[in-house]
Amino acid sequence: MMNRNKDEKPRVSAGTIKTAKRLLKYVTGPYRVQFIIVLICILVSSIASISVSLSLRFLLDDYIIPLIGQTDPNFSELYQALSVLGCIFILGVIAAFVYNRLMVVIGQGVLKKVRDEMFEHMQTLPIRYFDQNTNGSIMSLYTNDTDTLRQMINQSIPQVLMSLFTMIVTFISMIVLSPPLTALAVLMILLMVFVSRKVGGNSGKYFIRQQIDLANITGYTEEHMNGQRVIKIFNHERQTEQEFDALNEKLFESAANAHTFASMMGPIVGNMGNLLFVMTAMLGGALSVAGIGGMTLGTIAAYLQFTKSFSQPLMQIAQQFNSIIMALAGAERIFHMMDEPSEVDEGYVTLVNAKRNPDGSLSECKERTGLWAWKHPHQADGSVTYTELKGDVRFFDMTFGYNDDHMVLHDLTLYAKPGQKLAFVGSTGAGKTTITNLINRFYDVQDGKIRYDGININKIKKADLRRSLGIVLQDTHLFTGTIMENIRYGKLDATDEEVYKAAKLAHADQFIKMLPKGYDTMLTSDGEELSQGQRQLLAIARAAIADPPVLILDEATSSIDTRTEQIVQQGMDNLMKGRTVFVIAHRLSTIRNSDAIMVLEHGRIIERGTHEDLLKEHGTYYQLYTGKLELS
């Protein structure tokens, strides 16, 4: 299982602050006004909360204590003060409701924007990225990592802001009430911060490790869910279970350590807050008895409430710190994917509809004529030439490797004239599929050239190049949707009649009509309702409706039984008429009528020629065809 996260270290990244700033732009960008309102509401709510604590001093010293011992006490002023206090409290509740509601809107909006940008960027990534990362690991970005962002934006950010504002307002009020008691509080607060950083640092690194382990186990689960049939065929259940247990054990250890340190944070900071409460009561009582600093009963009561109001937000920040670290770790993984370089496309030659002029030249037109041309702008003199799309593909001294340390193809030279059928034969790893990947420009060659109708394919825009190619792979992929929609995937603007025609050409029409809803039959889970052969027929129909001049068949009939293959072969022959065709096949009977057969071994062409010519040579192809040598 290939996964770039496998060897990552459980540490807080040096780019965490940069990641936080980048994430903040998603909040303050499109939601700047809403976020400002949130800040105002949080400030109002925190002031209202502190006002309740501060009011204890005035209620006790100015209203309650003077009424003690009076024979006919007048409570009107006390009621007025309580009314004002009630209004302030209601205002705080309204402000809290508003900012929590807005943060939900902001959070969901940010997640939508992040997911949109992730998926949009993912479409631009080269095939190499998906070869190097498991589907489960990529899916984890859309699920686990985005969910940590949701928790941070909806819960952690407002909680931290509320706690910070509360602490600031509380600290100012504490200084105003009693500087001596505040000095004691500062010493205790510094100790709390030190302990929080030590404990929080340990939990933070394990939360990051937890996200990595979660991505690994998601990737493993997704991969082995798809491979259940293979697992059961080879009785591999026990081995698979052991491998899963090992990954799950790693996740258990990282999650247990993360939550152990996180759960320690609350009790430690809470008990230190309780200790500050006791010390403040003792020092405040001593100052009141000694008559120092004008300490009154109301001041002591208010200040004791402030110690709770200060230590509790600090504890809340410490608790949210872990969620923030985990979310930033998720955001860092997301941004890492979004920063992956997009597929480079420096091509400038495009594919256009064309019509033939009376003098035989070509010109561009908007309507679809069935005639295609390469539009080639020349930078030297600003002129534009049009080359008819015929399907002439030539390789010149081509060398390629998926990495520079290991070359797969060596000095490959071959050509396919328009309408010719070329077949590639060779053992696994000989480089057959690699050749087709290079024609599609899924990868670019290290050395040599590939020319398409005389044009270097590096000059052709990739989208236009791939539009001119049809491909049927051994592993078909069908999307969730009707059969008609899946066939129409090859040409989105195709009419129903064109879909029926393509299906008949591929000999898929017969089995489709036998289905309960025919062409409107809904397919799910990669078309698991159909047999492998039926799925292959739909893939062939999808290529047929695209009507490309060049066709690539990569083991296209490998999943079809021999009897069905004979039926399909006629349709395949109809599909291949007038097209340049590249065929990769293990069944040599399917390529006997090829114009040229290339026998590959270790990335080199060791034999080439027609079926009859190669049999006369009594070489590798002869041994393969007669069964003296088997393809591995």
Side-chain angles (χ1 to χ4, degrees):
M1 180 178 66
M2 299 179 69
N3 191 344
R4 64 174 173 80
N5 297 316
K6 186 177 181 180
D7 298 321
E8 290 183 32
K9 300 298 182 183
R11 60 181 178 81
V12 179
S13 170
T16 300
I17 296 177
K18 183 179 178 181
T19 300
K21 290 180 179 178
R22 183 172 175 180
L23 185 60
L24 189 61
K25 290 180 181 179
Y26 282 90
V27 178
T28 59
Y31 300 100
R32 185 185 302 272
V33 175
Q34 293 93 324
F35 194 65
I36 291 174
I37 295 174
V38 166
L39 292 177
I40 294 173
C41 289
I42 289 177
L43 181 60
V44 170
S45 181
S46 62
I47 291 175
S49 177
I50 296 304
S51 297
V52 175
S53 301
L54 189 61
S55 64
L56 286 176
R57 174 186 175 183
F58 300 105
L59 288 175
L60 287 171
D61 292 345
D62 298 340
Y63 298 102
I64 296 177
I65 293 178
L67 293 176
I68 297 175
Q70 292 186 13
T71 55
D72 187 21
N74 182 4
F75 294 101
S76 60
E77 292 184 355
L78 177 60
Y79 293 152
Q80 291 177 3
L82 290 174
S83 298
V84 173
L85 185 61
C87 291
I88 294 174
F89 184 75
I90 291 173
L91 180 63
V93 170
I94 294 173
F97 173 80
V98 171
Y99 80 70
N100 277 296
R101 184 71 182 85
L102 284 176
M103 284 307 297
V104 171
V105 174
I106 293 173
Q108 294 303 320
V110 168
L111 291 185
K112 178 183 180 301
K113 183 175 176 61
V114 168
R115 284 194 294 262
D116 284 345
E117 291 187 6
M118 284 171 62
F119 195 83
E120 181 181 351
H121 182 68
M122 188 178 70
Q123 303 307 304
T124 70
L125 295 177
I127 292 294
R128 186 185 299 273
Y129 176 81
F130 300 98
D131 289 342
Q132 294 174 347
N133 294 271
T134 64
N135 292 341
S137 177
I138 297 173
M139 278 300 303
S140 183
L141 299 175
Y142 290 92
T143 54
N144 301 325
D145 292 325
T146 53
D147 190 60
T148 61
L149 294 185
R150 178 190 59 78
Q151 293 181 12
M152 183 182 76
I153 296 173
N154 288 358
Q155 300 174 18
S156 300
I157 289 180
Q159 183 64 64
V160 168
L161 290 175
M162 179 67 182
S163 299
L164 284 174
F165 285 164
T166 301
M167 288 173 62
I168 292 171
V169 175
T170 299
F171 189 71
I172 294 173
S173 302
M174 289 169 69
I175 293 176
V176 172
L177 280 179
S178 175
L181 293 179
T182 304
L184 172 64
V186 167
L187 293 176
M188 202 65 181
I189 290 166
L190 291 176
L191 183 59
M192 287 184 187
V193 171
F194 174 77
V195 173
S196 298
R197 288 187 62 183
K198 293 292 290 184
V199 178
N202 286 326
S203 63
K205 70 179 182 181
Y206 284 113
F207 270 118
I208 294 174
R209 180 71 258 180
Q210 174 186 299
Q211 287 302 105
I212 296 171
D213 292 339
L214 190 58
N216 290 339
I217 203 170
T218 302
Y220 186 88
T221 304
E222 188 271 342
E223 180 181 6
H224 286 73
M225 282 178 63
N226 293 336
Q228 274 300 307
R229 287 181 176 85
V230 177
I231 292 172
K232 292 184 182 300
I233 286 171
F234 291 98
N235 297 315
H236 213 291
E237 294 92 341
R238 183 57 182 166
Q239 179 65 26
T240 301
E241 182 182 344
Q242 291 174 349
E243 292 172 356
F244 179 85
D245 288 345
L247 290 173
N248 204 23
E249 181 67 24
K250 288 184 178 180
L251 177 59
F252 165 76
E253 291 177 359
S254 58
N257 285 323
H259 290 282
T260 296
F261 283 107
S263 59
M264 289 169 55
M265 187 84 71
I268 291 175
V269 175
N271 287 321
M272 292 181 72
N274 293 333
L275 181 60
L276 174 61
F277 185 90
V278 173
M279 294 174 64
T280 300
M282 293 174 60
L283 180 58
L287 293 175
S288 177
V289 171
I292 300 174
M295 189 69 65
T296 63
L297 180 61
T299 301
I300 294 176
Y303 203 93
L304 288 174
Q305 187 63 32
F306 278 138
T307 59
K308 285 291 185 183
S309 300
F310 195 91
S311 59
Q312 187 175 5
L314 186 62
M315 183 173 62
Q316 291 171 344
I317 291 176
Q319 291 173 340
Q320 295 300 329
F321 175 78
N322 301 302
S323 298
I324 292 173
I325 288 295
M326 189 163 58
L328 290 178
E332 194 166 343
R333 281 169 36 81
I334 289 172
F335 292 146
H336 185 87
M337 189 271 269
M338 294 172 66
D339 291 338
E340 285 285 337
S342 299
E343 189 173 22
V344 177
D345 188 3
E346 298 176 349
Y348 52 86
V349 177
T350 56
L351 188 62
V352 298
N353 290 299
K355 63 181 179 180
R356 196 174 298 280
N357 300 318
D359 61 357
S361 63
L362 299 176
S363 60
E364 184 178 355
C365 61
K366 292 184 179 179
E367 65 275 9
R368 189 160 186 163
T369 62
L371 179 64
W372 298 90
W374 298 111
K375 181 180 180 180
H376 191 166
H378 299 275
Q379 299 176 352
D381 55 5
S383 62
V384 177
T385 58
Y386 294 92
T387 304
E388 182 179 353
L389 171 58
K390 295 181 179 179
D392 186 295
V393 181
R394 299 171 184 263
F395 291 69
F396 298 94
D397 302 321
M398 189 187 65
T399 298
F400 171 78
Y402 291 100
N403 56 68
D404 294 335
D405 298 331
H406 178 65
M407 293 295 110
V408 178
L409 299 176
H410 307 273
D411 300 323
L412 206 70
T413 298
L414 60 91
Y415 64 88
K417 294 180 180 180
Q420 281 191 331
K421 177 181 177 181
L422 263 67
F424 297 103
V425 177
S427 59
T428 301
K432 305 183 299 294
T433 300
T434 299
I435 293 175
T436 62
N437 284 338
L438 296 176
I439 297 174
N440 279 284
R441 283 199 70 194
F442 289 154
Y443 296 89
D444 287 324
V445 299
Q446 273 89 344
D447 193 16
K449 291 181 180 180
I450 304 176
R451 291 191 176 275
Y452 193 160
D453 291 328
I455 305 169
N456 190 328
I457 64 170
N458 291 336
K459 296 180 180 179
I460 302 175
K461 280 189 173 294
K462 290 184 177 180
D464 293 87
L465 171 67
R466 292 164 186 169
R467 194 148 54 100
S468 72
L469 302 170
I471 184 167
V472 181
L473 300 172
Q474 178 180 5
D475 298 322
T476 61
H477 182 79
L478 300 177
F479 297 93
T480 300
T482 64
I483 286 180
M484 179 167 286
E485 289 171 341
N486 270 277
I487 295 176
R488 189 176 277 133
Y489 200 84
K491 181 185 176 186
L492 296 179
D493 59 349
T495 64
D496 290 354
E497 289 301 321
E498 288 176 311
V499 173
Y500 301 146
K501 183 180 178 181
K504 290 177 182 177
L505 187 65
H507 284 266
D509 179 73
Q510 184 176 359
F511 90 80
I512 294 174
K513 287 183 176 179
M514 295 176 63
L515 297 174
K517 295 184 179 180
Y519 284 84
D520 293 324
T521 300
M522 182 66 67
L523 301 180
T524 57
S525 302
D526 207 9
E528 64 177 8
E529 306 93 334
L530 306 177
S531 69
Q532 181 63 33
Q534 289 172 333
R535 293 200 292 267
Q536 199 78 51
L537 292 175
L538 292 183
I540 294 170
R542 187 162 58 191
I545 201 171
D547 195 25
V550 176
L551 192 62
I552 299 171
L553 305 176
D554 189 349
E555 300 286 357
T557 59
S558 62
S559 301
I560 302 175
D561 60 80
T562 305
R563 180 177 177 277
T564 307
E565 182 183 7
Q566 294 173 354
I567 300 173
V568 171
Q569 196 62 48
Q570 184 179 356
M572 293 288 292
D573 290 340
N574 292 334
L575 178 61
M576 291 186 286
K577 275 183 183 177
R579 308 178 198 277
T580 305
V581 182
F582 293 91
V583 181
I584 298 174
H586 272 82
R587 293 180 185 174
L588 301 185
S589 59
T590 63
I591 59 172
R592 290 182 59 179
N593 61 345
S594 299
D595 295 288
I597 298 172
M598 309 286 175
V599 182
L600 292 169
E601 186 175 296
H602 303 303
R604 301 180 188 274
I605 299 176
I606 59 173
E607 293 179 9
R608 70 175 79 199
T610 63
H611 173 73
E612 290 76 14
D613 292 339
L614 292 177
L615 288 180
K616 292 176 182 177
E617 292 182 6
H618 287 266
T620 302
Y621 182 80
Y622 173 82
Q623 294 179 358
L624 291 171
Y625 190 77
T626 56
K628 296 180 179 179
L629 180 65
E630 293 184 359
L631 289 173
S632 57

